[in-house]
């Protein structure tokens, strides 16, 4: 359904009841990446998932999309949906970057945090240059070349062999991201703040999930977050790459459910 939040109509899904868990997708994905979690978790909890600006069914607005802007959209969605109790915020990759911005701006919204396949640090100079190159290509040739390059590394090597239908599903989800959304999100990620200093201040229980074969973000990033966030657990998911919630949904769901039950 569409909700009005400030100057934008956000597409969101809202299922189940009880403790709220907000799912924030990665780049350049959308709500559909959370399909295995929405069904499973909404039997016990209220699960809200959001299509960020320019992704899925939420239309683009002029960029860049700073992580703070996207975090404020998430906060606005919770307010519009009448979520007054603190929620568990779950962000994957770019969704993790947004979760850090949300924590900096609205820590009172959090009862727990799930950080999946993400990192606290900012882009290196090389990563920034790569973003600039991807932006230039997307503006000139459209987003398809970027989607094709990303699709080669989003999943674990074994996933490409074992789950071809999942590869097709991910390709379909990528293709739903608008070109303006791609450029604006790349600009926002390129310029994002370093959240490393925030880690020691996070005072809610935190679950850190990382696919053992993630080809985009190394496991050392999750180990660093685990070392610095006081009340955190790190779980490594075998046979999964950068999208462990889609590649190993049963394991991801079970670890998430255990964490939610422990709060
Ligand atoms: C994501 O999955 O959200 C992106 O790979 C994150 C990034 O490009 O830094």
């Amino acid at each position: 359904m569409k909700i009005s939040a400030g100057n934008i109509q956000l597409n969101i899904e809202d299922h189940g009841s009880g403790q709220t868990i907000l799912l924030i997708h990665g780049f350049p994905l959308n709500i559909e990446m959370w399909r295995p979690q929405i069904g499973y978790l909404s039997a016990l909890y209220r699960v809200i998932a959001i299509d960020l600006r320019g992704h899925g069914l939420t239309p683009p607005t002029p960029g860049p999309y700073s992580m703070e802007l996207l975090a404020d959209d998430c906060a606005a969605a919770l307010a519009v949906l009448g979520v007054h109790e603190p929620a568990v915020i779950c962000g994957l990759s770019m969704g993790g970057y947004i979760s850090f911005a949300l924590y900096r701006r609205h820590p009172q919204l959090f009862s727990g945090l799930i950080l999946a396949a993400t990192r606290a640090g900012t882009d290196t100079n090389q990563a920034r240059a790569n973003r600039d190159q991807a932006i230039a290509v997307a503006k000139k040739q459209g987003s398809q070349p970027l989607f094709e390059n990303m699709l080669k590394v989003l999943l674990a090597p074994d996933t490409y062999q074992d789950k071809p239908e999942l590869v097709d599903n991910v390709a379909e989800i990528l293709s739903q991201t608008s070109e303006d959304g791609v450029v604006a999100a790349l600009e926002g990620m390129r310029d994002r703040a370093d959240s490393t200093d925030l880690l020691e201040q996070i005072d809610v229980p935190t679950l850190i999930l990382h696919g053992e074969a993630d080809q985009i973000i190394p496991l050392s990033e999750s180990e660093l977050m685990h070392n610095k966030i006081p009340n955190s657990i790190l779980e490594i998911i075998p046979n999964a790459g950068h999208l462990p919630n889609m590649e190993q949904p049963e394991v991801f769901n079970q670890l998430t459910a255990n964490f939610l039950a422990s709060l």
Side-chain angles (χ1 to χ4, degrees), residues 151-163:
L151 191 60
K152 289 183 198 144
V153 288
L154 269 172
L155 306 169
D158 284 353
T159 305
Y160 295 95
Q161 299 290 327
D162 301 343
K163 301 188 176 176

Side-chain angles (χ1 to χ4, degrees), residues 26-27 93-94 97 131 150 189 216 242:
F27 168 85
S93 200
M94 180 176 74
Y97 311 159
R131 302 264 193 221
M150 281 199 79
M189 288 193 288
I216 295 185
H242 193 57

Side-chain angles (χ1 to χ4, degrees), residues 28-39:
L29 296 140
N30 60 56
I31 287 175
E32 288 308 316
M33 67 161 272
W34 295 118
R35 202 51 67 202
Q37 283 66 53
I38 292 173

